[in-house]
Amino acid sequence: RMHQESPEAELESIIRMMAKQGSPDSAILSQVYGAIGEICIQLKELPQAEAYLKKSIDVAVKTNDDAVLWRDYTNMARAPLAQGLPATESLTSAASHFRSPQAGAFFTAEHNPFPATRDELASELVSMLLSANMLEQAFITAEQLKEEAFITEWQKNSGEVKSADRELYNDLVIERAHLHAAEASRTPNHMLGRWQDWMRRHQLLAADNRELARLISPVPLNLQELVGKAQSNQVTILDYLIGPKLSFVFTIDRQGRLSAAKLGVTRDQLKAQVNAMHQASAKSGPEARAAEKRLLQALYNELLPEHVQKFMPQNPDQLVAIVPDSVLFNLPFAALVDNQGRYVVESHTLTTLPAVLSFMDNGVTYSADQSIVFNAGNENQGSRESAEAGEIAQLFQPDQVLKLVGKDSDISQLQEQAKVSNPVLHFSAPFLLQDNNLFKASLPMQVASGTTPAEKRVSADTLFRSTLPSDLA
């Protein structure tokens, strides 16, 4: 702007400067051409965009750079779709290259030489796939994006795996980081053999231990297997993807039909609404209750539009499994208010899944046995925890309720009771997040064998390394 130059002219000058110093580096050349193409699209200079993107693709194909190719093909699809023309070939290529581990950017996701982030452009890719009626590809792409986001957070917060898995986990994560680092000095085609070896090892791990493999890199989603499991479990799945500019919900109903809807709400808008809802719920008085109800009704209409409601079961006893994303993990879906003023839980039986692949690994069981374990660190009768536990316990038969309070709220006791016969665990205690790392937050239980306060403390990552075969916690 200072030199009155357009953004693409400034990037062209970079290529000329590289040419003066010798042959431009292929990796940088394809990135610069791709970035110019992306800028031209934003400026609606479509013929120039296509020319630059073709140059970028020519270079990236020679260097096997999937990280550039998926972006180029996504951007190549924008112009024809905007004109109502087909772009199936470009979108198929974009979705294919997006799935490459070499194209992933997990722990270093903030490093981005392009105008749009991976998150933003991948959400746009999902939207375009839906516009082209490529529903299955859109769902698989959305799932991979969510898996990548989780892996990035897991690594940033030093998430720990079980001790038996640690050596293999560290080996694969470090090897991938080395391969990405090597691409700064050599193009991906020089590491093709090593990438193929890494992918073979990850595929073997996924066949043997899918849960561990998912903490390293997204495991390809077998849609047919997922649909079959939803049908056999007789469950309807609502799977959300909340993007920075675009949001979506995918639905798999009890008949195995896959559908999708674009939601007219962004990540920041949902954050503001959910925060406002929590603030209203913390206040007392009719005004606060009315404000809270208005927010819950607005969220209902945004997150469960008519297209989704058509696929929801009519029988309130039939299970609906919700897979949240982003800020939706802080939203109590059961408390959403429909247009008749009823809470969603009055019309549907709900459960929450951390991810679609966790459903494929474990399924869900809606058992006739509704026995429940309460775990409360505070045993004082007048405490908030005790009052909450008492209110919920009244909904069950006395012989179905077991309370673990005070000294009994030990992690070994919890594991033992989960094994025996109790499918539901309820933690009745305030959960204070005192820093940015959720994994280190204290839980309302203790390690009985510990002697010091530090040894007795149970954090969230302690629970991750435990085995709790319960239906719901």
Side-chain angles (χ1 to χ4, degrees):
R1 292 175 192 230
M2 288 171 61
H3 300 289
Q4 304 296 310
E5 277 196 286
S6 66
E8 65 266 30
E10 292 206 22
L11 287 167
E12 278 278 20
S13 69
I14 293 172
I15 296 174
R16 289 194 295 272
M17 284 165 41
M18 288 193 301
K20 285 180 183 177
Q21 297 170 10
S23 178
D25 179 86
S26 297
I28 297 175
L29 192 60
S30 62
Q31 288 178 10
V32 173
Y33 279 140
I36 297 174
E38 205 167 305
I39 290 168
C40 288
I41 284 175
Q42 292 174 359
L43 297 172
K44 296 186 168 45
E45 298 172 355
L46 300 183
Q48 296 95 316
E50 186 176 0
Y52 281 115
L53 290 169
K54 283 181 177 177
K55 286 182 180 180
S56 179
I57 289 170
D58 287 342
V59 179
V61 165
K62 292 172 187 171
T63 58
N64 294 104
D65 198 340
D66 294 319
V68 172
L69 287 168
W70 84 264
R71 300 183 69 97
D72 288 344
Y73 283 115
T74 298
N75 285 315
M76 283 287 280
R78 282 173 151 178
L81 284 176
Q83 300 169 63
L85 299 172
T88 306
E89 191 175 334
S90 292
L91 289 172
T92 300
S93 296
S96 175
H97 290 291
F98 181 79
R99 288 196 289 274
S100 164
Q102 185 269 326
F106 303 107
F107 198 29
T108 56
E110 62 277 2
H111 171 68
N112 180 53
F114 299 96
T117 65
R118 180 174 171 86
D119 191 14
E120 290 168 343
L121 193 61
S123 295
E124 182 70 26
L125 173 58
V126 172
S127 179
M128 288 193 290
L129 287 165
L130 289 177
S131 297
N133 294 316
M134 300 171 69
L135 184 55
E136 292 186 13
Q137 292 277 29
F139 183 57
I140 290 168
T141 302
E143 281 308 304
Q144 175 162 338
L145 190 57
K146 290 173 68 172
E147 291 286 308
E148 287 179 8
F150 178 80
I151 292 166
T152 297
E153 287 304 311
W154 179 269
Q155 292 179 0
K156 279 184 177 178
N157 290 291
S158 304
E160 296 180 36
V161 299
K162 295 176 181 177
S163 55
D165 299 330
R166 202 165 296 150
E167 185 177 349
L168 180 56
Y169 171 82
N170 289 338
D171 188 24
L172 282 166
V173 168
I174 291 167
E175 174 66 9
R176 182 182 58 202
H178 285 167
L179 289 171
H180 277 306
E183 289 174 359
S185 57
R186 304 192 79 190
T187 49
N189 54 315
H190 289 98
M191 269 84 69
L192 193 57
R194 289 176 63 188
W195 270 117
Q196 289 171 340
D197 180 58
W198 187 93
M199 285 186 273
R200 276 193 294 271
R201 292 180 64 200
H202 185 257
Q203 286 166 356
L204 287 171
L205 175 62
D208 182 57
N209 187 344
R210 186 157 60 182
E211 290 178 331
L212 178 62
R214 285 177 52 217
L215 292 176
I216 298 167
S217 188
V219 173
L221 176 66
N222 185 323
L223 189 56
Q224 193 173 356
E225 180 186 351
L226 174 61
V227 167
K229 193 138 191 175
Q231 288 179 292
S232 62
N233 279 255
Q234 287 294 282
V235 61
T236 298
I237 298 174
L238 302 185
D239 189 2
Y240 289 87
L241 173 66
I242 306 303
K245 296 179 181 177
L246 299 162
S247 299
F248 313 88
V249 57
F250 294 88
T251 308
I252 300 174
D253 68 6
R254 297 167 72 249
Q255 285 73 47
R257 295 176 296 180
L258 174 65
S259 64
K262 296 180 186 180
L263 306 175
V265 64
T266 67
R267 187 180 294 160
D268 285 345
Q269 288 169 335
L270 279 171
K271 278 183 181 178
Q273 287 176 290
V274 172
N275 287 340
M277 184 270 298
H278 281 293
Q279 288 165 9
S281 69
K283 297 175 183 177
S284 58
E287 287 186 14
R289 294 287 71 77
E292 181 187 31
K293 193 163 187 176
R294 282 195 302 271
L295 285 163
L296 289 166
Q297 196 158 29
L299 286 162
Y300 173 88
N301 288 315
E302 289 166 354
L303 299 172
L304 296 168
E306 285 186 17
H307 172 83
V308 175
Q309 292 174 32
K310 286 192 305 185
F311 292 91
M312 298 279 276
Q314 297 301 308
N315 184 340
D317 290 331
Q318 291 170 349
L319 191 62
V320 178
I322 294 170
V323 188
D325 184 38
S326 183
V327 68
L328 297 189
F329 280 103
N330 292 336
L331 177 68
F333 273 82
L336 294 181
V337 177
D338 67 18
N339 294 321
Q340 284 73 49
R342 295 173 304 179
Y343 292 113
V344 169
V345 75
E346 295 181 70
S347 307
H348 301 288
T349 301
L350 304 176
T351 190
T352 303
L353 300 170
V356 154
L357 282 169
S358 70
F359 169 69
M360 290 175 68
D361 292 338
N362 306 301
V364 291
T365 306
Y366 183 48
S367 172
D369 176 12
Q370 289 299 294
S371 56
I372 183 168
V373 174
F374 286 103
N375 189 85
N378 190 341
E379 57 188 328
N380 297 329
Q381 289 302 312
S383 69
R384 234 175 92 190
E385 299 96 301
S386 179
E388 179 184 290
E391 281 183 38
I392 298 175
Q394 288 174 10
L395 303 173
F396 296 82
Q397 296 297 322
D399 60 348
Q400 292 180 306
V401 176
L402 173 70
K403 292 183 182 178
L404 300 176
V405 295
K407 292 179 181 178
D408 291 330
S409 63
D410 177 73
I411 191 166
S412 61
Q413 271 268 60
L414 196 65
Q415 287 177 286
E416 200 57 39
Q417 291 301 328
K419 286 179 191 173
V420 179
S421 62
N422 300 286
V424 180
L425 306 178
H426 180 80
F427 297 92
S428 180
F431 190 66
L432 303 177
L433 307 179
Q434 295 173 330
D435 56 41
N436 291 326
N437 191 344
L438 277 169
F439 298 169
K440 306 303 176 189
S442 292
L443 293 177
M445 62 180 84
Q446 61 181 0
V447 179
S449 57
T451 52
T452 67
E455 289 171 345
K456 284 180 176 292
R457 179 176 174 270
V458 174
S459 60
D461 58 3
T462 313
L463 200 61
F464 297 155
R465 298 192 301 273
S466 306
T467 301
L468 293 172
S470 293
D471 296 338
L472 182 66

Coordinates of all heavy atoms in Angstrom, one line a residue, residues 251-293:
T251 N -26.0 -34.9 9.6 CA -26.9 -35.8 10.3 C -26.9 -37.2 9.7 O -26.9 -37.3 8.5 CB -28.4 -35.2 10.2 OG1 -28.4 -33.9 10.6 CG2 -29.3 -36.0 11.0
I252 N -26.8 -38.2 10.6 CA -27.0 -39.6 10.2 C -28.1 -40.1 11.0 O -28.1 -40.2 12.2 CB -25.7 -40.4 10.5 CG1 -24.5 -39.9 9.7 CG2 -26.0 -41.9 10.1 CD1 -23.2 -40.6 10.0
D253 N -29.2 -40.5 10.3 CA -30.4 -40.9 11.1 C -30.4 -42.4 11.3 O -29.5 -43.1 10.8 CB -31.7 -40.4 10.4 CG -32.0 -41.0 9.1 OD1 -31.3 -42.0 8.7 OD2 -33.0 -40.6 8.4
R254 N -31.5 -42.9 11.9 CA -31.5 -44.3 12.3 C -31.7 -45.2 11.0 O -31.4 -46.4 11.1 CB -32.7 -44.6 13.2 CG -32.5 -43.8 14.5 CD -33.7 -43.8 15.4 NE -34.0 -45.1 16.0 CZ -35.1 -45.8 15.7 NH1 -35.9 -45.4 14.8 NH2 -35.3 -46.9 16.3
Q255 N -32.1 -44.6 9.9 CA -32.2 -45.4 8.6 C -30.8 -45.4 7.9 O -30.7 -46.0 6.8 CB -33.3 -44.8 7.7 CG -34.7 -45.2 8.2 CD -35.1 -44.4 9.4 OE1 -34.9 -43.2 9.5 NE2 -35.7 -45.2 10.4
G256 N -29.8 -44.7 8.4 CA -28.5 -44.6 7.8 C -28.4 -43.5 6.7 O -27.5 -43.5 5.9
R257 N -29.3 -42.6 6.7 CA -29.3 -41.5 5.7 C -28.4 -40.4 6.2 O -28.5 -39.9 7.3 CB -30.7 -40.9 5.4 CG -31.7 -41.9 4.8 CD -33.0 -41.3 4.6 NE -33.6 -41.0 5.9 CZ -34.8 -40.5 6.1 NH1 -35.6 -40.2 5.1 NH2 -35.3 -40.3 7.3
L258 N -27.4 -40.0 5.3 CA -26.5 -38.9 5.6 C -27.1 -37.6 5.0 O -27.4 -37.6 3.8 CB -25.1 -39.2 5.1 CG -24.1 -38.0 5.2 CD1 -23.8 -37.7 6.6 CD2 -22.8 -38.4 4.4
S259 N -27.2 -36.5 5.8 CA -27.6 -35.2 5.3 C -26.7 -34.1 5.9 O -26.0 -34.4 6.8 CB -29.1 -35.0 5.5 OG -29.3 -34.9 6.9
A260 N -26.8 -32.9 5.4 CA -26.1 -31.8 5.9 C -26.8 -30.5 5.8 O -27.7 -30.4 4.9 CB -24.7 -31.7 5.2
A261 N -26.5 -29.6 6.7 CA -27.1 -28.2 6.6 C -26.0 -27.2 6.9 O -25.2 -27.4 7.8 CB -28.3 -28.1 7.5
K262 N -26.0 -26.1 6.2 CA -25.1 -25.0 6.5 C -25.8 -24.1 7.5 O -27.0 -23.9 7.4 CB -24.8 -24.2 5.2 CG -24.0 -24.9 4.2 CD -23.8 -24.0 3.0 CE -23.1 -24.9 1.9 NZ -22.8 -24.0 0.6
L263 N -25.1 -23.7 8.6 CA -25.7 -22.9 9.6 C -25.3 -21.5 9.5 O -24.1 -21.2 9.2 CB -25.2 -23.4 11.0 CG -25.4 -24.9 11.3 CD1 -24.8 -25.3 12.6 CD2 -26.9 -25.3 11.2
G264 N -26.3 -20.6 9.6 CA -26.0 -19.2 9.4 C -25.4 -18.5 10.6 O -25.9 -17.4 11.1
V265 N -24.3 -19.1 11.2 CA -23.7 -18.5 12.4 C -22.2 -18.9 12.4 O -21.8 -20.0 11.9 CB -24.4 -19.1 13.7 CG1 -24.2 -20.6 13.8 CG2 -24.0 -18.4 14.9
T266 N -21.4 -17.9 12.8 CA -20.0 -18.2 12.9 C -19.5 -18.6 14.3 O -20.2 -18.5 15.2 CB -19.2 -16.9 12.4 OG1 -19.4 -15.9 13.5 CG2 -19.7 -16.3 11.1
R267 N -18.2 -18.9 14.4 CA -17.6 -19.3 15.6 C -17.7 -18.2 16.7 O -18.1 -18.4 17.8 CB -16.2 -19.7 15.4 CG -15.5 -20.3 16.6 CD -14.0 -20.7 16.3 NE -14.0 -21.8 15.3 CZ -12.9 -22.0 14.6 NH1 -11.8 -21.3 14.7 NH2 -12.9 -23.0 13.7
D268 N -17.3 -16.9 16.2 CA -17.4 -15.8 17.2 C -18.8 -15.5 17.6 O -19.0 -15.1 18.8 CB -16.7 -14.6 16.5 CG -15.2 -14.7 16.5 OD1 -14.6 -15.5 17.2 OD2 -14.6 -13.9 15.7
Q269 N -19.7 -15.6 16.7 CA -21.1 -15.3 17.1 C -21.6 -16.3 18.1 O -22.3 -15.9 19.1 CB -22.0 -15.3 15.8 CG -21.8 -14.2 14.9 CD -22.5 -14.3 13.6 OE1 -22.8 -15.5 13.1 NE2 -22.9 -13.2 12.9
L270 N -21.3 -17.6 17.9 CA -21.7 -18.6 18.9 C -21.0 -18.4 20.2 O -21.7 -18.6 21.3 CB -21.4 -20.0 18.3 CG -22.4 -20.6 17.3 CD1 -21.9 -21.8 16.7 CD2 -23.7 -20.8 18.0
K271 N -19.7 -18.1 20.2 CA -19.0 -17.8 21.5 C -19.7 -16.7 22.3 O -20.0 -16.8 23.5 CB -17.6 -17.4 21.2 CG -16.6 -18.5 20.9 CD -15.2 -18.0 20.7 CE -14.3 -19.1 20.5 NZ -12.9 -18.6 20.2
A272 N -20.1 -15.6 21.6 CA -20.8 -14.5 22.2 C -22.1 -15.0 22.8 O -22.5 -14.6 24.0 CB -21.0 -13.4 21.3
Q273 N -22.9 -15.7 22.1 CA -24.2 -16.2 22.5 C -24.1 -17.2 23.7 O -24.8 -17.0 24.7 CB -24.9 -16.9 21.4 CG -25.5 -15.9 20.3 CD -26.1 -16.7 19.2 OE1 -25.4 -17.4 18.4 NE2 -27.4 -16.6 19.1
V274 N -23.1 -18.1 23.6 CA -23.0 -19.1 24.7 C -22.5 -18.4 26.0 O -23.0 -18.7 27.1 CB -22.0 -20.2 24.3 CG1 -21.7 -21.1 25.5 CG2 -22.7 -21.1 23.2
N275 N -21.6 -17.4 25.8 CA -21.1 -16.7 27.0 C -22.2 -15.9 27.6 O -22.4 -15.9 28.9 CB -19.9 -15.7 26.6 CG -18.7 -16.5 26.3 OD1 -18.5 -17.6 26.8 ND2 -17.7 -15.9 25.6
A276 N -23.1 -15.3 26.8 CA -24.2 -14.5 27.3 C -25.2 -15.4 28.0 O -25.8 -15.0 29.1 CB -24.9 -13.8 26.2
M277 N -25.4 -16.6 27.5 CA -26.3 -17.6 28.1 C -25.8 -18.0 29.5 O -26.5 -18.0 30.5 CB -26.4 -18.8 27.2 CG -27.4 -19.8 27.7 SD -26.7 -21.1 28.8 CE -25.5 -21.8 27.6
H278 N -24.5 -18.2 29.6 CA -23.9 -18.6 30.9 C -24.0 -17.5 31.9 O -24.3 -17.7 33.1 CB -22.4 -19.0 30.7 CG -22.3 -20.4 30.2 ND1 -22.6 -21.5 30.9 CD2 -21.8 -20.9 29.0 CE1 -22.4 -22.6 30.2 NE2 -21.8 -22.2 29.1
Q279 N -23.8 -16.2 31.4 CA -23.9 -15.1 32.3 C -25.3 -14.9 32.8 O -25.5 -14.6 34.0 CB -23.4 -13.8 31.6 CG -21.9 -13.8 31.4 CD -21.5 -12.7 30.3 OE1 -22.3 -11.9 29.9 NE2 -20.2 -12.8 29.9
A280 N -26.3 -15.1 31.9 CA -27.7 -15.0 32.3 C -28.1 -16.1 33.3 O -28.8 -15.8 34.3 CB -28.6 -15.0 31.1
S281 N -27.5 -17.3 33.1 CA -27.9 -18.4 34.0 C -27.3 -18.2 35.4 O -27.8 -18.8 36.4 CB -27.4 -19.7 33.4 OG -26.0 -19.8 33.4
A282 N -26.2 -17.4 35.5 CA -25.6 -17.2 36.8 C -26.4 -16.2 37.7 O -26.1 -16.0 38.8 CB -24.2 -16.8 36.6
K283 N -27.3 -15.4 37.0 CA -28.0 -14.4 37.7 C -29.4 -14.9 38.2 O -29.9 -15.9 37.6 CB -28.2 -13.2 36.8 CG -26.9 -12.5 36.4 CD -27.2 -11.4 35.4 CE -25.9 -10.8 34.9 NZ -26.1 -9.7 33.9
S284 N -30.0 -14.3 39.1 CA -31.3 -14.6 39.6 C -32.3 -13.6 39.1 O -32.0 -12.5 38.8 CB -31.3 -14.8 41.1 OG -30.9 -13.6 41.7
G285 N -33.6 -13.9 39.2 CA -34.7 -13.0 38.9 C -35.3 -13.3 37.6 O -34.7 -13.9 36.7
P286 N -36.5 -12.8 37.4 CA -37.3 -13.1 36.2 C -36.7 -12.5 34.9 O -36.8 -13.1 33.8 CB -38.7 -12.4 36.4 CG -38.5 -11.5 37.6 CD -37.3 -12.0 38.4
E287 N -36.0 -11.4 35.0 CA -35.4 -10.8 33.8 C -34.3 -11.7 33.3 O -34.1 -11.9 32.1 CB -34.9 -9.4 34.1 CG -36.0 -8.3 34.2 CD -35.4 -6.9 34.4 OE1 -34.2 -6.8 34.1 OE2 -36.2 -6.0 34.8
A288 N -33.4 -12.2 34.2 CA -32.3 -13.1 33.8 C -32.9 -14.4 33.2 O -32.3 -14.9 32.2 CB -31.4 -13.3 35.0
R289 N -33.9 -14.9 33.8 CA -34.5 -16.2 33.3 C -35.1 -16.0 31.9 O -34.9 -16.8 31.0 CB -35.6 -16.7 34.2 CG -35.2 -17.1 35.6 CD -34.5 -18.4 35.7 NE -33.2 -18.4 35.1 CZ -32.1 -17.9 35.8 NH1 -32.2 -17.4 37.0 NH2 -30.9 -17.8 35.2
A290 N -35.7 -14.8 31.7 CA -36.3 -14.5 30.4 C -35.2 -14.4 29.3 O -35.3 -14.9 28.2 CB -37.2 -13.3 30.4
A291 N -34.1 -13.7 29.7 CA -33.0 -13.5 28.8 C -32.3 -14.8 28.5 O -32.0 -15.1 27.3 CB -32.0 -12.5 29.4
E292 N -32.2 -15.7 29.5 CA -31.6 -17.0 29.3 C -32.4 -17.8 28.3 O -31.9 -18.4 27.4 CB -31.5 -17.7 30.6 CG -30.8 -19.1 30.5 CD -30.9 -19.8 31.8 OE1 -31.8 -19.6 32.6 OE2 -30.0 -20.6 32.1
K293 N -33.7 -17.8 28.5 CA -34.7 -18.6 27.6 C -34.6 -18.1 26.2 O -34.6 -18.9 25.3 CB -36.1 -18.5 28.2 CG -37.0 -19.5 27.6 CD -38.3 -19.7 28.4 CE -39.1 -20.9 27.9 NZ -40.3 -21.2 28.7

